[in-house]
Amino acid sequence: MSAQLTGQDSLPSSAAVTTFVGRRKELSEARATLTRSRLTTLAGPGGVGKTRLGIEVTQRFRRQFNDGTWMVDLGSLNCGAPISPAVASTLAIPDQSHRTALERVVTYLRDKELLLFLDNCEHVLPAAVELVDRVLATAPGVKVLTTSREPLNIAGETVLPVPPLTLPSTNDELSDRNLEQFESVAFLVDRARNVIGDFAITPQNRHAVIELCTRLDGMPLALEFAAARLQSMSVTQLLERLDQRFRLLSRGSRTAQPRHRTLQALIDWSYELCSPEEQVLWQRLTVFPGSFDLDAAEEVCGFGDLSPDLILDLLDRLVAKSILLTERTGETVRYRQLMTVREYGAERLGEGAAGELHHRHRDCFLRRAETMVAQWCSPRQSEFILRARTERHNSMAALEWSVSTPGELISATRLAVALRHHWVSDGYLSEGRYWLDRVLDGHDDAAATPERGAALWVVSWVSLLQGDHEAGAEYLTECRSVATALHDDGLLAHTRHWAGLHSLFTGDLTTSISQYERAVTAHDRVGDTGASLTAQFQLGMAQVLHGDPRIALATCDRAIEIASEHDELWNRAYALWISGICHWMLGDHVAAHAAATEALTIQKHFQDAICTALTIELLSWVAASTRDFPRALELSGAAANVWRGLGTTIGAFGPHIEQISQASARRVRQGLDPAHRDSRPFDQRPLSKEAAIEVALTEPREGASTDADIAPLTRKEWEVAELVAQGLTNRQVAQELVVSPRTVDGHVGRILTKLDFTSRMHIASWVSSKKSG
């Protein structure tokens, strides 16, 4: 139950036989916190590695305390039991008086200088609070380190959340060896080698290793259990059976506490420490497949015995107990459950309750999506798109449930249609096509309903952007029949609108212009300003490709003026892109560059994938026209990355614009130095959409570092290294580059690995030497 951790004494046997993996950041934070605070709590969910981290911290601190570092494992105590006797026993305090154990501990520690490590406090919190509060008040030379699933919540406590081990992404372009820079992978490999001495990551198992670590949330205890199973299974076989995780992951150490011997027992322990209301909310929150916000939790889970006004307090308590994790972006807070915790709660949820929850969940995200459509032409566009992007997993789960549940087809159709700007702006064309086709398959082909008609024009739009022009035309033919049968002027306007896009993309510019002019009039007649603006910039595209740049420029100017009146950005950015093409065709390269840059500046925060790719293409054409061929090549490479992410090409947008793109590419190849004509920038190191925008908006500086100068780092890694050298933390770097902190963690890890460095100070010194050289 206890152990003394001093310079002379050994660690507990459970710690001595395993390697400590990763946790560089947490160790550094714990060291800093223990230096300035007398009470530090390592808080986190069960199995996240709080005890192992605490042991490592106390071991590294043992020489700083004259009276040593002492560990008291409270895990074997019954819930609510006093802890003072266990502490007194560990400290070997004589029991020769009538005083209570608490009094003897407080008296003994009064003149001591030591670190007291209380492990596993969550089930004995009242007793732990009483003892720690008394010790801190009477023993100035004592510092206390605790581990708990929830904080002690007493004055002077500093809480250090212990997160899961860092995870790789299936999108990371890393060698098998470099995968081990991620803590979860390194941990799994280390524990697997205890079972299979020659275990290694190979091309055959690398994706299974990544997915296993991800689906186990990077939780050390779950990874320990998984590694034990590798004695008789491959990683792939284990992954295939992970839906039975509570039975499969049941081979813990026989010397561990009972609740740490199986994954089921571990979560049982957390569940039993919750109140009945907390348990009910835990169960209900499992309807969210990813993260969620407070409003959604109140709307979806606040019914029956749990009224909406109780949800905030219960969420707070589940966060405190490490059942929920928080994600913070600026002033926005979202919550999520680890996958294992979510699956446990789902198993506890009754079938009837699950149906009610899924219905409420779908209605919540249907309402949000239809609000986005109703208020689209407004200053809230970027907010709507960001929310749709953030809520994607919830929307997809709502669609799946609605399509699979009898009687829910109409709602499923409404949701698939309402997400249209998400499908198009965020580049989920294939996913949007899949869901729209799936809901249409459920409708009678002869049915003339508003829902089916809307789904037909939206799927036509998506198909045309994918380059599937024939399917797009077929959908429009059906849509026209529905609109005619319903005498629906709004639906007829959309039929003309997307017929104009079909004609544009198939090269019939004259017909396209005629269709768009009629569509703009029809949209204006029914009061659909957003659709009218979209038709106007597309009309401008048809006009400029038809060879009428001045007419197209006037069309775009009108669209930009109306968009500005509504503080609307999505159509404005596209109209600016077309304006840039007009200026470029008229030979005004400065105005073309300015219009394209303004459009991309909008996209820096909006991140519409199609507009981004098209605008970067335009900047490449401008660079080629001004004979800056290396820059043109760089920009075309950046655009190619965005097209790849979209799953389409500029060829989908019609033969005329494709011919312009091909002509520019030929001009670049002819103008380049022969040694660089076959180069394909970014093919070996793909760019994200955000990075492509950054490349396009960052003009090369005179004397800027070349790729050779900054080798072996990539451009993005060099940017991160420069910011690290300025003294910024990973979170500050993430804010500066508008990426997630986890992405920056990965970049910093790769920089350290590539340069064979061990600290950020080394990175700063290296950057300084490169710049001075």
Side-chain angles (χ1 to χ4, degrees), residues 584-743:
W584 174 68
M585 284 189 171
L586 292 168
D588 189 345
H589 299 142
V590 173
H593 188 278
T597 299
E598 186 176 350
L600 268 189
T601 300
I602 292 174
Q603 297 308 334
K604 189 170 184 180
H605 302 288
F606 213 94
Q607 295 179 12
D608 177 287
I610 293 174
C611 188
T612 294
L614 290 168
T615 307
I616 296 176
E617 285 267 1
L618 170 58
L619 284 171
S620 177
W621 303 346
V622 173
S625 296
T626 56
R627 303 189 62 79
D628 188 352
F629 299 118
R631 176 63 171 164
L633 183 67
E634 180 183 39
L635 290 165
S636 66
N641 271 271
V642 183
W643 287 126
R644 276 196 294 272
L646 270 164
T648 189
T649 67
I650 198 169
F653 294 76
H656 295 84
I657 196 166
E658 184 178 30
Q659 289 165 10
I660 294 172
S661 180
Q662 291 172 345
S664 181
R666 285 194 299 271
R667 184 172 186 178
V668 171
R669 284 196 298 272
Q670 292 165 2
L672 279 172
D673 182 277
H676 298 96
R677 284 181 184 173
D678 294 328
S679 61
R680 294 291 184 272
F682 312 118
D683 279 359
Q684 299 304 312
R685 47 184 181 93
L687 287 176
S688 66
K689 181 170 53 181
E690 297 89 336
I693 293 172
E694 190 176 335
V695 165
L697 288 177
T698 305
E699 291 296 320
R701 303 187 308 274
E702 190 82 27
S705 299
T706 66
D707 285 349
D709 292 333
I710 64 174
L713 303 187
T714 65
R715 283 275 171 189
K716 177 57 69 178
E717 288 165 354
W718 170 252
E719 292 171 20
V720 171
E722 284 188 303
L723 293 172
V724 168
Q726 293 173 23
L728 273 64
T729 65
N730 284 11
R731 184 169 293 279
Q732 289 169 329
V733 172
Q735 292 171 347
E736 183 73 17
L737 298 181
V738 198
V739 297
S740 71
R742 179 172 289 183
T743 298

Side-chain angles (χ1 to χ4, degrees), residues 211-219 222-223 226 242 245 249 340:
E211 190 169 352
L212 180 65
C213 291
T214 300
R215 290 182 60 185
L216 291 179
D217 304 303
M219 297 292 284
L223 292 169
L242 204 58
R245 67 177 66 195
L249 304 182
T340 301

Side-chain angles (χ1 to χ4, degrees), residues 428-615:
Y428 290 110
L429 298 176
S430 297
E431 192 167 53
R433 176 80 176 271
Y434 167 79
W435 285 111
L436 289 160
D437 278 338
R438 194 168 169 190
V439 297
L440 283 168
D441 285 344
H443 286 270
D444 182 346
D445 288 346
T449 64
E451 292 81 13
R452 179 167 173 263
L456 285 166
W457 75 255
V458 173
V459 76
S460 175
W461 181 15
V462 171
S463 302
L464 292 170
L465 292 175
Q466 287 182 307
D468 192 351
H469 302 147
E470 184 176 346
E474 291 173 359
Y475 289 126
L476 281 175
T477 299
E478 292 184 61
C479 185
R480 189 175 296 108
S481 298
V482 173
T484 302
L486 294 174
H487 304 289
D488 188 326
D489 289 342
L491 195 53
L492 282 168
H494 277 295
T495 303
R496 293 193 180 98
H497 183 157
W498 305 106
L501 190 68
H502 177 266
S503 296
L504 172 62
F505 286 1
T506 54
D508 186 353
L509 298 178
T510 301
T511 300
S512 176
I513 290 169
S514 174
Q515 292 278 22
Y516 276 130
E517 289 173 342
R518 296 172 66 193
V520 170
T521 300
H523 285 316
D524 287 341
R525 188 164 51 245
V526 298
D528 193 340
T529 304
S532 176
L533 284 172
T534 302
Q536 284 183 59
F537 86 68
Q538 290 172 347
L539 169 61
M541 182 178 177
Q543 290 168 334
V544 73
L545 295 177
H546 192 256
D548 301 313
R550 296 188 187 281
I551 294 174
L553 196 55
T555 299
C556 290
D557 285 345
R558 285 195 299 272
I560 291 170
E561 182 180 356
I562 296 170
S564 299
E565 290 173 359
H566 290 81
D567 289 328
E568 194 269 3
L569 293 175
W570 189 77
N571 288 293
R572 177 185 172 87
Y574 275 101
L576 284 165
W577 162 61
I578 298 297
S579 296
I581 295 178
C582 295
H583 290 302
W584 174 68
M585 284 189 171
L586 292 168
D588 189 345
H589 299 142
V590 173
H593 188 278
T597 299
E598 186 176 350
L600 268 189
T601 300
I602 292 174
Q603 297 308 334
K604 189 170 184 180
H605 302 288
F606 213 94
Q607 295 179 12
D608 177 287
I610 293 174
C611 188
T612 294
L614 290 168
T615 307

Side-chain angles (χ1 to χ4, degrees), residues 81-92:
I83 72 167
S84 300
V87 177
S89 175
T90 298
L91 296 172

Side-chain angles (χ1 to χ4, degrees), residues 200-222:
I201 299 175
T202 66
Q204 291 74 36
N205 70 14
R206 62 176 278 123
H207 289 293
V209 166
I210 292 172
E211 190 169 352
L212 180 65
C213 291
T214 300
R215 290 182 60 185
L216 291 179
D217 304 303
M219 297 292 284
L221 190 63

